[in-house]
């Protein structure tokens, strides 16, 4: 997927998240908990995602090349009532989408990654929005799949970008040659990943045996890597104990 191809799904996922949140709030008090985000209610999820969108809108609007000082960052007051909170989220998502559209993929801005572009942020935020839409839907027992193209992109991004970053942030143990393969059942892709010392090596198209192979739809694979689905949701061959070990090698943040 390229920048232009990600814009429409971003808007679609924002609308789906808003719909899921309104459905959850319609259940009344207490506000439903989010099973996949322990300790959070749907309101907490909305505040988190809406805050992230406004933070990034500030980065893009000002074209910052260094992270803003939180002490000097003033965000609009977050409404307390469900309708106001949901509208607040929707407005922030629309504004961020417009900034992505106006600036294109190659505007230089600060990110936490090596890639310092607006394109990085759209890719990252589409994936995060899709996963949190799933979270919001799960609060009412109506979680749907991630769109196949978005989910496949999420698997690649998680392996290439998130895994090395998380290992550095959390001082993960060195890899000892653990070899994973994730195979998509609703498309042709497979991802072979080797942990060697501090490196996370993606081997496209590899066919050599892996220590463990996990198969599922692109959505299932992405949700597993984002710790939303357990290993039992996948078809596993080889050393099944290595699947939970993934989150030792790639610690969650």
């Amino acid at each position: 997927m390229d920048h232009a191809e990600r814009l429409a799904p971003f808007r679609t996922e924002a609308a789906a998240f808003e719909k899921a949140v309104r459905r959850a709030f319609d259940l009344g008090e207490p506000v439903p908990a989010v099973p996949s985000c322990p300790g959070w209610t749907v309101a907490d999820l909305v505040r988190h995602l809406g805050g992230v969108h406004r933070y990034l809108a500030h980065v893009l609007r000002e074209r910052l090349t260094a992270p803003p000082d939180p002490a000097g960052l003033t965000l609009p007051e977050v409404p307390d009532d469900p309708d106001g909170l949901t509208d607040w989220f929707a407005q922030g998502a629309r504004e961020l989408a417009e900034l992505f559209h106006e600036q294109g993929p190659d505007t230089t801005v600060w990110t936490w990654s090596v890639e310092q572009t607006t394109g990085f942020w759209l890719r990252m935020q589409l994936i995060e929005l899709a996963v949190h839409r799933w979270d919001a839907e799960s609060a009412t027992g109506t979680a749907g799949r991630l769109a196949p193209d978005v989910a496949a992109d999420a698997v690649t991004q998680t392996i290439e970008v998130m895994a090395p970053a998380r290992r550095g942030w959390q001082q993960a143990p060195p890899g000892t040659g653990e070899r994973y393969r994730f195979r998509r059942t609703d498309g042709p892709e497979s991802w072979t990943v080797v942990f060697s010392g501090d490196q996370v090596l993606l081997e496209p198209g590899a066919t050599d045996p892996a220590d463990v192979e996990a198969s599922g739809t692109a959505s299932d694979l992405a949700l597993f890597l984002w710790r939303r689905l357990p290993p039992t949701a996948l078809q596993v061959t080889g050393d099944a104990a290595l699947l939970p070990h993934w989150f030792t090698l790639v610690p969650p943040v």
Side-chain angles (χ1 to χ4, degrees), residues 36-209:
S36 48
C37 301
W40 279 20
T41 68
V42 169
D44 295 320
L45 187 63
V46 178
R47 293 187 191 100
H48 163 72
L49 196 52
V52 169
H53 286 177
R54 281 166 172 79
Y55 178 89
L56 293 180
H58 176 72
V59 171
L60 269 61
R61 194 177 294 113
E62 302 299 323
R63 303 198 178 194
L64 300 181
T65 55
D69 180 357
L73 182 61
T74 302
L75 296 177
E77 186 174 349
V78 182
D80 289 326
D81 66 288
D83 285 340
L85 182 60
T86 308
D87 291 343
W88 172 84
F89 161 79
Q91 179 184 4
R94 285 194 300 269
E95 290 175 355
L96 184 58
E98 284 305 308
L99 285 166
F100 284 137
H101 173 70
E102 292 167 5
Q103 296 191 7
D106 299 321
T107 301
T108 299
V109 293
W110 168 81
T111 78
W112 49 257
S113 184
V114 173
E115 183 185 351
Q116 300 279 295
T117 67
T118 46
F120 169 88
W121 279 126
L122 176 55
R123 186 187 192 194
M124 182 75 250
Q125 288 310 302
L126 170 56
I127 294 167
E128 184 171 356
L129 181 53
V131 172
H132 285 327
R133 182 267 300 165
W134 187 92
D135 290 331
E137 291 175 344
S138 73
T140 57
T142 58
R145 293 184 180 276
L146 275 58
D149 288 350
V150 173
D153 195 39
V155 174
T156 301
Q157 195 267 0
T158 299
I159 293 168
E160 290 184 335
V161 181
M162 294 298 296
R166 288 180 177 177
R167 285 180 56 75
W169 295 337
Q170 302 292 326
Q171 298 182 328
T176 58
E178 297 91 340
R179 187 179 181 86
Y180 291 80
R181 180 165 295 131
F182 299 100
R183 187 177 299 280
R184 182 180 175 185
T185 57
D186 59 343
E189 296 95 337
S190 67
W191 297 262
T192 301
V193 188
V194 180
F195 290 89
S196 177
D198 292 332
Q199 293 184 298
V200 182
L201 305 174
L202 177 61
E203 299 181 352
T207 58
D208 296 345

